[in-house]
């Protein structure tokens, strides 16, 4: 009899908001050739000689500002969604893994196979596909099984940017927020990637744009903007940039803004610190009057319901 399992996967998080643990995390993350495509002979000296000597201390302070008693928000919410999904699917083993921190994907699969799982659905927690995220998860799963004589039934969820419940969730939340606090415009922000990755074939921006379009179809005639955040390094990244847009909008008469980040299923450094603090500051310092941020699913059980449909349909 088939024994089913689901492995939900997110990016990862430092073990603690200390310089040492942030350095450990960044080294794994920034060594992934899916994330940084610069040839290793060029990139490794930069990573080990410059970035890992300077960036961890700065990043540790930022992580400390969002850290909770129970740990990283990203991991807290991932565990909560794992529990919700397990409750919805009591006959299926639901496990959690991270790409760049514990529990790592190979270890999680080890445990699932040890429990007799022979039908496994891999469910990356990224609504929009990118090789830098979903592609990396796929690589790790395939690397695991390419070394194994035991191949099980595998199912891989590529993306869910157009899932009706996902779109409806954000549309309903935006409507509710606008009913409480009308704004001049909406701003949809997504994590950016280098333009060269798109040239190579990554269709991430098209799925971001389609997400925005599908949500806006539910909202009607409301002014909106779509931007990209979290630029890293000197390469050209997707534009328009979130920080530059929020700096400029008050000069165009947009004084009240509602910011939505549909590419994240849980709050993390890029939303709590980068959006709610840094980017809010740019907006308010340049003439903005009201800045509202709409949180993603976090510990809302509606995400588990979407994950259930993705894993069972």
């Amino acid at each position: 009899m088939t024994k089913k399992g689901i492995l939900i996967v997110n990016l990862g998080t430092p073990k603690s908001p200390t310089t040492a643990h942030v350095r450990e995390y960044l080294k794994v993350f920034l060594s992934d050739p899916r994330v940084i495509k610069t040839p290793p002979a060029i990139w490794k000296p930069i990573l080990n000689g410059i970035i890992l000597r300077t960036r961890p201390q700065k990043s540790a302070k930022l992580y400390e500002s969002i850290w909770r008693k129970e740990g990283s928000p990203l991991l807290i919410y991932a565990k909560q969604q794992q529990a919700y999904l397990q409750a919805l699917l009591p006959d299926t083993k639901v496990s959690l893994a991270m790409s760049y921190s514990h529990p790592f994907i190979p270890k999680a699969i080890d445990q699932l196979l040890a429990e007799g799982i022979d039908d496994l659905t891999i469910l990356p927690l990224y609504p929009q596909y990118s090789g830098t995220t979903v592609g990396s998860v796929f690589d790790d799963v395939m690397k695991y099984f390419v070394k194994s004589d035991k191949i099980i039934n595998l199912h891989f969820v590529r993306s869910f940017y157009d899932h009706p419940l996902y779109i409806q969730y954000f549309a309903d939340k935006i409507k509710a927020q606008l009913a409480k606090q009308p704004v001049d415009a909406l701003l949809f922000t997504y994590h950016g990637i280098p333009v060269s990755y798109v040239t190579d074939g990554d269709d991430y921006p098209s799925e971001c744009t389609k997400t925005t379009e599908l949500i806006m179809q539910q909202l009607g005639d409301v002014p909106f903007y779509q931007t990209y955040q979290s630029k890293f390094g000197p390469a050209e990244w997707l534009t328009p940039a979130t920080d530059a847009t929020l700096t400029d909008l008050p000069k165009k008469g947009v004084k009240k803004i509602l910011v939505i980040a549909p590419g994240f299923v849980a709050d993390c450094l890029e939303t709590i610190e980068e959006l709610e603090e840094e980017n809010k500051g740019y907006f308010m310092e340049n003439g903005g009057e009201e800045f509202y941020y709409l949180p993603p699913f976090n510990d809302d059980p509606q995400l588990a319901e979407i994950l259930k449909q993705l894993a069972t349909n």
Side-chain angles (χ1 to χ4, degrees):
M1 183 178 177
T2 298
K3 193 170 182 181
K4 294 188 176 184
I6 298 170
L7 183 63
I8 59 174
V9 186
N10 212 330
L11 194 78
T13 175
K15 194 180 299 182
S16 76
T18 61
T19 300
H21 282 153
V22 171
R23 181 181 292 111
E24 180 182 283
Y25 167 70
L26 288 178
K27 184 168 185 177
V28 178
F29 176 43
L30 297 176
S31 295
D32 185 345
R34 284 281 197 175
V35 176
I36 304 293
K37 291 188 177 183
T38 305
I42 299 173
W43 176 241
K44 283 189 176 181
I46 297 172
L47 176 62
N48 295 315
I50 302 173
I51 294 173
L52 292 179
R53 289 186 179 183
T54 58
R55 193 175 180 90
Q57 186 173 6
K58 178 184 176 183
S59 294
K61 292 178 181 178
L62 299 178
Y63 274 108
E64 189 175 10
S65 72
I66 72 163
W67 215 258
R68 300 182 183 175
K69 184 180 178 181
E70 304 92 336
S72 160
L74 187 77
L75 185 56
I76 292 168
Y77 292 133
K79 287 179 177 178
Q80 184 63 71
Q81 293 297 339
Q82 176 192 5
Y84 286 150
L85 187 56
Q86 185 64 79
L88 289 173
L89 297 169
D91 296 327
T92 299
K93 174 67 178 181
V94 179
S95 293
L96 168 68
M98 296 284 173
S99 289
Y100 308 112
S101 64
H102 296 284
F104 286 101
I105 291 171
K107 184 67 174 177
I109 298 177
D110 272 343
Q111 293 176 345
L112 286 164
L113 296 188
E115 294 184 36
I117 300 301
D118 55 9
D119 189 289
L120 179 61
T121 297
I122 308 296
L123 223 169
L125 295 179
Y126 308 108
Q128 295 79 23
Y129 170 85
S130 172
T132 61
T133 52
V134 180
S136 182
V137 175
F138 182 86
D139 288 350
D140 281 351
V141 174
M142 292 303 105
K143 284 175 188 174
Y144 180 93
F145 283 102
V146 81
K147 299 173 184 176
S148 173
D149 288 326
K150 183 179 181 182
I151 304 301
I152 63 174
N153 289 323
L154 279 172
H155 316 275
F156 197 94
V157 177
R158 181 185 184 276
S159 63
F160 54 96
Y161 70 95
D162 57 352
H163 192 285
L165 290 183
Y166 164 76
I167 296 299
Q168 197 63 53
Y169 177 86
F170 279 100
D172 289 346
K173 290 289 185 179
I174 293 169
K175 288 177 185 176
Q177 181 68 25
L178 293 178
K180 291 189 295 182
Q181 286 127 350
V183 296
D184 298 322
L186 310 176
L187 186 140
F188 293 88
T189 176
Y190 299 86
H191 199 295
I193 62 172
V195 171
S196 61
Y197 295 12
V198 181
T199 304
D200 287 344
D202 195 321
D203 60 357
Y204 172 71
S206 67
E207 294 198 0
C208 293
T209 298
K210 189 62 178 179
T211 301
T212 302
E213 290 174 351
L214 290 170
I215 295 172
M216 289 306 304
Q217 286 174 14
Q218 303 284 329
L219 300 178
D221 189 20
V222 181
F224 71 94
Y225 299 85
Q226 178 177 309
T227 62
Y228 297 94
Q229 64 182 86
S230 309
K231 184 178 185 296
F232 174 78
E236 181 187 1
W237 277 44
L238 294 173
T239 56
T242 301
D243 52 5
T245 302
L246 285 169
T247 298
D248 193 51
L249 280 178
K251 303 166 192 172
K252 297 180 177 179
V254 177
K255 304 288 188 177
K256 302 176 182 179
I257 195 84
L258 173 59
V259 175
I260 309 105
F264 297 92
V265 299
D267 277 320
C268 54
L269 193 68
E270 287 82 1
T271 61
I272 302 171
E273 194 283 325
E274 187 179 346
L275 289 179
E276 288 193 270
E277 295 183 24
E278 182 183 347
N279 281 273
K280 178 181 179 180
Y282 298 144
F283 182 73
M284 301 302 285
E285 289 162 11
N286 286 278
E289 296 173 0
E290 295 178 22
F291 180 101
Y292 303 105
Y293 165 68
L294 188 75
F297 294 93
N298 289 335
D299 58 356
D300 192 322
Q302 287 192 53
L303 176 59
E305 184 59 47
I306 295 171
L307 299 179
K308 174 188 174 185
Q309 291 196 15
L310 290 168
T312 58
N313 287 351

